Amino acid sequence: TMPKLSDTMEEGKIIRWLKRPGDAIRVGEVIAEVETDKADMVLEAFDDGVLEEIKLQEGETAPVGAVIATLRPLDAAARAAAAAKPVEKKPEPKPVTRRARKEGPPAPSPALPSAAAAAAEAAYAAPQFHPAMSAIQSAAPTAIPMPPRPPARTAEPSAAPAPAVGEKLRASPLARRAAEEAGVDLSQVRGTGPEGRITKRDLDNYLRQEQLFRFRRLVAPREGEPGSREEFSKMRKSIALRTATSKREIPHFYLTMDVDMEEAVKLKKSLEATELFEEEISYNDIIVKACALALSRYPRINASYQDEGIVIHPHINIAFAVAVEDGLLLPVVKECERLSLPEIARTAHLLVAKSGRGGFTTDELSGATFTISNMGMLGVEHFAAVIVPPQAAILAVSAIKDRPVVRDGQLAVGKTMMLTISCDHRIVDGVVAGRFIGELKRFLENPASLLV
């Protein structure tokens, strides 16, 4: 039997079957395009076999648990023939070059027209939308985000001049590998190494510039006429439903604590000056690492509400908000308790790069046990976020600001940041939440501990 619609979504609709009854299918082949309330995605076969019967036709919708088709095993001859057939590859995310941005979005892939035009969507956290990407049980769907729209640009990340004809592009092996993973055209990156050689740090700087540009464009005032009416998009309907459900059903409570970030700022500047790590460390990376250490000491925060009980997760999987064209995604850094600060930075940077170009897998957008919403780049001094069910808590991170502080009885100017944790009172009591955020404050105020 083909897999059932997963319980991570409410319902799904078949956009297009790419295989027909009687077709032999190899594991990993793309078999259909599916629309859910969170994303459009392509589905891959989870096993070798022959598509025997399609139970859910194109355009039809089925609830959770519905069987969409049946698959029978291959006989020996068919298996041998299938083994000789090349597997259809998933579409790779295309780099967004200066020319592409000026000319507008690329044409959809002829093989996957619907999926290539789909927006990657998310479940929620206010003010962001959490992408617990819908899946087909035992299959491996891939989210296909909408191609970038042609924005009205005022500035763009500086690009390197194109190499002359016949001139070899110079880049370090690490930069080449990271660019391939992120879907970046290295000819757009300006190298600062010997003879213009592109280093990993050059690539990180390029990605950071692109992210900042996208973010500034995304938070610019939206088009819309006063007095006009706009119909909800599928994403907006899902945001409205899920945020309302979270606030209605989860008994939220909030705790705020001020953190002295003076030493963390010094650490970040020191790492930049010494280039100790190949990955450039951001404040968000530092906060993710500090949360991982604090969650390992207070596992009650790294838990979920399930069937009138509490599940304490064996691993710490931290999601963080990233702005995209039609909302926000929450990619997940998995098993943070096992990762060093540079490893967290590397994983996070690759996920941020994917957010602008697409190519997320379901695994990269699901399985979070704790979420961070960081609005510091907007200068926000304080806010509270809405919990992403079934998680126990979400951390709201505000801007690092120069504020008056008292040190050794003397008034001084210090760099401080406000953290606000929203907790589900069914899982977490105030005392536990207070101890957790106090532990988080202790790690951030003594950041050398994050390098251990």
Side-chain angles (χ1 to χ4, degrees), residues 118-289:
E121 300 204 17
Y124 57 97
Q128 68 273 347
F129 193 53
H130 172 62
M133 296 300 296
S134 301
I136 297 293
Q137 185 181 13
S138 302
T142 302
I144 307 295
M146 183 178 292
R149 296 174 182 168
R153 306 203 61 143
T154 56
E156 63 183 22
S158 58
V165 176
E167 182 181 350
K168 185 178 180 181
L169 184 69
R170 296 182 177 88
S172 70
L174 185 60
R176 290 183 184 277
R177 184 169 63 251
E180 182 179 355
E181 291 174 346
V184 174
D185 179 2
L186 275 178
S187 67
Q188 300 298 312
V189 181
R190 186 179 299 277
T192 60
E195 299 182 346
R197 182 182 177 88
I198 299 169
T199 65
K200 176 62 167 58
R201 188 171 294 271
D202 295 329
L203 179 66
D204 286 344
N205 289 336
Y206 176 81
L207 291 173
R208 187 175 301 105
Q209 288 177 352
E210 279 211 329
Q211 184 192 6
L212 286 172
F213 175 81
R214 286 198 311 271
F215 187 81
R216 288 166 183 156
R217 174 168 57 84
L218 291 170
V219 299
R222 299 282 183 173
E223 295 180 3
E225 294 295 330
S228 64
R229 171 183 169 83
E230 294 182 2
E231 295 297 325
F232 268 177
S233 64
K234 195 174 183 68
M235 176 185 282
R236 184 53 55 187
K237 287 179 182 178
S238 192
I239 291 174
L241 172 64
R242 295 173 186 279
T243 51
T245 301
S246 176
K247 290 294 288 184
R248 182 176 60 248
E249 296 185 358
I250 296 177
H252 286 60
F253 73 91
Y254 312 93
L255 298 178
T256 298
M257 191 168 284
D258 211 23
V259 178
D260 186 344
M261 291 293 286
E262 196 78 34
E263 293 303 317
V265 171
K266 289 180 182 177
L267 174 67
K268 183 178 182 300
K269 289 181 177 179
S270 175
L271 293 176
E272 289 174 354
T274 58
E275 298 185 1
L276 182 62
F277 303 130
E278 190 68 38
E279 303 294 336
E280 190 158 337
I281 307 299
S282 70
Y283 288 118
N284 210 62
D285 303 328
I286 290 171
I287 293 166
V288 170
K289 177 62 177 178

Side-chain angles (χ1 to χ4, degrees), residues 10-26:
E10 297 169 5
E11 60 179 24
K13 180 173 74 174
I14 297 295
I15 299 173
R16 184 163 71 107
W17 282 101
L18 304 176
K19 298 295 181 180
R20 299 298 173 194
D23 287 352
I25 300 170
R26 281 188 64 193

Side-chain angles (χ1 to χ4, degrees), residues 70-89:
T70 57
L71 188 72
R72 61 178 169 82
L74 291 172
D75 56 32
R79 187 176 294 276
K85 177 182 175 183
V87 176
E88 178 184 350
K89 290 186 177 181

Side-chain angles (χ1 to χ4, degrees), residues 55-96:
K55 294 184 175 292
L56 191 64
Q57 301 301 318
E58 293 179 359
E60 293 183 345
T61 299
V64 172
V67 175
I68 60 175
T70 57
L71 188 72
R72 61 178 169 82
L74 291 172
D75 56 32
R79 187 176 294 276
K85 177 182 175 183
V87 176
E88 178 184 350
K89 290 186 177 181
K90 295 177 285 186
E92 294 292 335
K94 297 292 192 293
V96 182

